[in-house]
Amino acid sequence: MSVFKKLINKHTLSLASNAVMPVVGMVTVSLLARNQSERDFGDWILFLITFTLANLFRSGFLQTSLVKFYSGASAERSSTVAGSTWYLGFALTAALGLFSIVFNYFYDGNFEAEITLKWFAIIFFSTLPSSVALWILQAEERFDRVFILQLIGQGSFLLSIIILILLNKTTFQNTIYAYFTAATITSAFAIISGWARLASISKKTWECVKELANFGKYSVGTSISSYLLRSSDTFIIKFMFVDPAIVGIYYLPQRLMEVIEIPLRSFISTALPSMSAAVKHDDKGHITYILTKYAGILTILLIPVSLVSFICADLVIDILGGHKFLATNASNVFRIFMCFAILLPVDRFFGITLDILNKPHINMIKVIIMLVVNVAGDFIGIYIFHNLYGVALSSIFTFLAGVIYGYWVLRKHLNFTMLGILKVGFIETKALAISFLKKYKERNTETIN
C-alpha cells in the first residue's frame, strides 16, 4: 500500500484526469452517434461546438489569471483573487447569456435552434461554479479533487445518456436536459463541498478585478487565436477542395494528435502553480528549471513515440478509422504530424512561461504569428502539392515559427538554451525511470515477503 501511495501524486492524478476524461467524453459521443438520428446528433454537435467556444472565451479570460495570482498567495490574497474571479465570471456569463436570450427573442427559425439559444444561457450559468472550482483546485494543486469533480460531471452525463438510451428517449431536447442535469449536479457538489469558494465573492476588490481583467484580455486573445490555429486547417481544406471526404481524411490524424495532448495538458496543469509561486518570489532560476524540466522530459519521451508512430502509421490509422482510410493520404499525413510532434512541448511551455512572467501580450503575438504562418503555409502548400501533404507540411513551419519566436523572447528574461532543455530532460527522464524501477522492485519485494 505504501508503494501505491508513492505512485499517487499530483503528476499521476493530473495525468489520470487528462487521460480518463477525454475517453469518457468520447464514449458518450459514440453512444449518442449510435442512438440518435442524424439530425438530432448534428444539432447536438452544433450546440456542443457553440457552448465550447463560449466556455473557451470564459476560461481563456479567467483560468490562467486566477492560477497566476492565486498560487502561492496568502490566505487573504487568495480569497480576494477567488472573489474577484467570481465577480468577473458572473459578468462574462451574464453578458453572453443575455446575448443568447436577446438573439432568441428576435430569432424566427427552426425548433432545434430555438432550443439551443434558450438553453445556452441556462447551462452556461449552471457550469460557472464547477468551472471556478476547477481553476481554484488547479491553483491549489489539488488534482485529486480536480479528478473527482471532472468524474462527477462526465460520469453523471454519461449515466444520463445511458438511461435515455434504455428508455429510447435520446432526442436532441432530452440530451440538452441531461447535459443541464449533469452540469447542475457538478456545480452543486462544488458549492456544497466548499471547493468553489462562493463566499469569497464578498472579498473581491476593484483593484484585483482590474488586475485580472488586464491580464485576461490578453490570455483570452491567446485562447481564441489557438482555437483558430487548430481549426484553420479544416476551414481551408473545406474551402479549397471539392471532395467533402478530404476533411474527414485530415481530421482522423488530427484526432490522433490529441493523444499527445494528454500528457501535455497534465504536465502544464502541475507546472503552472509551481511557476506562479516562483514568480511571486522572483526566483527566475526555479522558473527556468521548471521550464527546462517539463519541456525536456516531454520532448525526450516523445522522440521514441514519434519514431514508433511514424513506422506504424498504417496500423494506427487502420485501428482508428478502418480499412477504408488505408487507401487515402491519412497515414502519410499522420507521419508528417509526428515529425513536428516533438516541437509541441517546447512551444507549449514557452507560451505558459510567457503568461506566468506577466507577458500574455507577447504570448498572444506568438500565437498570432503561428496562425499567420499556418494560413499562408496552407495556401502555399496546396498550390505546390495540390493535396493534403501541403497542408500537413505547413504545420512544421508553424510550430518552428512559434518555437523560434518564443525562444528569442524568453532568452531576454531567462537563462537557458535549447540544448539545455534536452540535457535537463534526459537527466530528469533517467531519474524518473530509476525511481520507477526502484518502486517496482520494492513492490515485488513486499509481495514476496
Side-chain angles (χ1 to χ4, degrees):
M1 182 62 70
S2 60
V3 176
F4 178 76
K5 289 181 178 179
K6 289 178 182 178
L7 291 173
I8 301 302
N9 52 51
K10 65 180 183 180
H11 302 290
T12 55
L13 286 169
S14 178
L15 182 60
S17 177
N18 283 285
V20 174
M21 293 309 109
V23 172
V24 176
M26 288 181 68
V27 170
T28 305
V29 170
S30 177
L31 287 174
L32 287 172
R34 294 171 183 270
N35 291 278
Q36 282 186 322
S37 67
E38 290 184 2
R39 180 171 180 175
D40 280 340
F41 184 67
D43 289 330
W44 167 247
I45 293 300
L46 181 61
F47 170 82
L48 199 59
I49 291 173
T50 305
F51 182 81
T52 300
L53 183 59
N55 200 42
L56 178 68
F57 180 83
R58 184 171 65 185
S59 62
F61 199 93
L62 296 172
Q63 183 176 7
T64 305
S65 302
L66 183 143
V67 173
K68 172 178 169 55
F69 296 110
Y70 189 103
S71 300
S74 63
E76 183 179 355
R77 170 65 173 171
S78 64
S79 295
T80 300
V81 172
S84 300
T85 301
W86 264 109
Y87 180 84
L88 279 171
F90 272 124
L92 288 172
T93 305
L96 289 172
L98 181 62
F99 174 80
S100 71
I101 292 172
V102 172
F103 191 79
N104 182 49
Y105 180 80
F106 291 102
Y107 178 77
D108 184 19
N110 62 61
F111 176 68
E112 289 77 12
E114 289 179 359
I115 293 176
T116 297
L117 290 169
K118 184 184 299 183
W119 279 90
F120 171 83
I122 299 171
I123 295 177
F124 203 43
F125 266 107
S126 67
T127 56
L128 179 61
S130 59
S131 295
V132 175
L134 286 171
W135 305 335
I136 290 173
L137 293 173
Q138 181 187 352
E140 294 176 346
E141 300 188 73
R142 290 303 306 266
F143 295 104
D144 52 339
R145 293 180 175 180
V146 168
F147 182 75
I148 292 170
L149 200 58
Q150 288 182 330
L151 192 61
I152 291 172
Q154 294 273 21
S156 57
F157 182 53
L158 175 60
L159 181 61
S160 299
I161 295 303
I162 292 173
I163 292 172
L164 289 177
I165 291 171
L166 294 175
L167 297 174
N168 197 26
K169 299 287 186 179
T170 54
T171 62
F172 168 60
Q173 190 166 2
N174 287 337
T175 305
I176 290 284
Y177 295 157
Y179 197 70
F180 168 69
T181 301
T184 303
I185 291 172
T186 310
S187 287
F189 180 85
I191 293 172
I192 294 170
S193 64
W195 297 352
R197 300 195 64 178
L198 180 59
S200 65
I201 196 169
S202 62
K203 304 292 184 180
K204 68 96 177 169
T205 64
W206 289 113
E207 290 78 13
C208 188
V209 168
K210 291 178 181 178
E211 192 175 19
L212 292 170
N214 286 331
F215 187 93
K217 66 184 179 184
Y218 293 112
S219 60
V220 73
T222 302
S223 296
I224 293 175
S225 298
S226 297
Y227 177 80
L228 292 174
L229 177 61
R230 291 194 299 270
S231 57
S232 59
D233 286 350
T234 302
F235 290 128
I236 291 172
I237 290 170
K238 191 171 184 178
F239 174 75
M240 294 294 290
F241 293 96
V242 177
D243 185 2
I246 297 291
V247 175
I249 293 170
Y250 194 83
Y251 178 72
L252 194 64
Q254 277 188 320
R255 287 302 301 266
L256 283 169
M257 290 298 290
E258 291 182 9
V259 177
I260 306 297
E261 292 287 333
I262 291 173
L264 267 177
R265 287 194 293 264
S266 171
F267 275 57
I268 287 171
S269 296
T270 55
L272 265 175
S274 300
M275 277 188 166
S276 182
V279 168
K280 286 181 174 62
H281 294 93
D282 196 26
D283 191 351
K284 289 189 176 181
H286 192 55
I287 297 170
T288 304
Y289 171 69
I290 296 172
L291 165 64
T292 53
K293 173 185 175 181
Y294 285 92
I297 289 174
L298 282 170
T299 302
I300 294 297
L301 292 177
L302 273 177
I303 291 174
V305 171
S306 298
L307 288 173
V308 172
S309 299
F310 189 92
I311 296 169
C312 303
D314 290 329
L315 177 62
V316 174
I317 292 295
D318 187 24
I319 292 172
L320 185 64
H323 295 300
K324 62 182 178 181
F325 283 97
L326 291 179
T328 68
N329 297 329
S331 296
N332 286 334
V333 168
F334 181 55
R335 288 187 175 96
I336 295 172
F337 282 173
M338 296 313 298
C339 289
F340 69 79
I342 58 175
L343 295 174
L344 292 177
V346 174
D347 172 70
R348 197 65 58 83
F349 271 92
F350 280 178
I352 68 162
T353 304
L354 286 170
D355 280 343
I356 290 298
L357 289 174
N358 206 27
K359 307 204 179 285
H361 56 293
I362 297 179
N363 189 25
M364 184 175 68
I365 292 171
K366 181 179 84 70
V367 177
I368 291 174
I369 289 173
M370 294 173 68
L371 177 60
V372 171
V373 171
N374 192 67
V375 172
D378 283 352
F379 283 111
I380 294 171
I382 292 172
Y383 177 78
I384 295 174
F385 295 96
H386 305 289
N387 55 36
L388 291 178
Y389 297 154
V391 180
L393 286 169
S394 71
S395 298
I396 297 177
F397 297 98
T398 298
F399 285 95
L400 269 176
V403 169
I404 291 170
Y405 180 78
Y407 179 70
W408 176 68
V409 173
L410 278 174
R411 281 281 293 166
K412 298 178 181 179
H413 307 282
L414 301 175
N415 184 24
F416 71 98
T417 63
M418 293 297 294
L419 183 60
I421 291 176
L422 293 175
K423 284 183 177 179
V424 173
F426 178 78
I427 294 170
E428 293 290 340
T429 304
K430 183 180 177 181
L432 280 174
I434 293 172
S435 175
F436 178 80
L437 289 172
K438 182 179 179 182
K439 291 175 182 177
Y440 179 77
K441 290 179 180 178
E442 288 176 354
R443 186 183 66 180
N444 286 344
T445 303
E446 289 179 1
T447 303
I448 294 171
N449 293 335

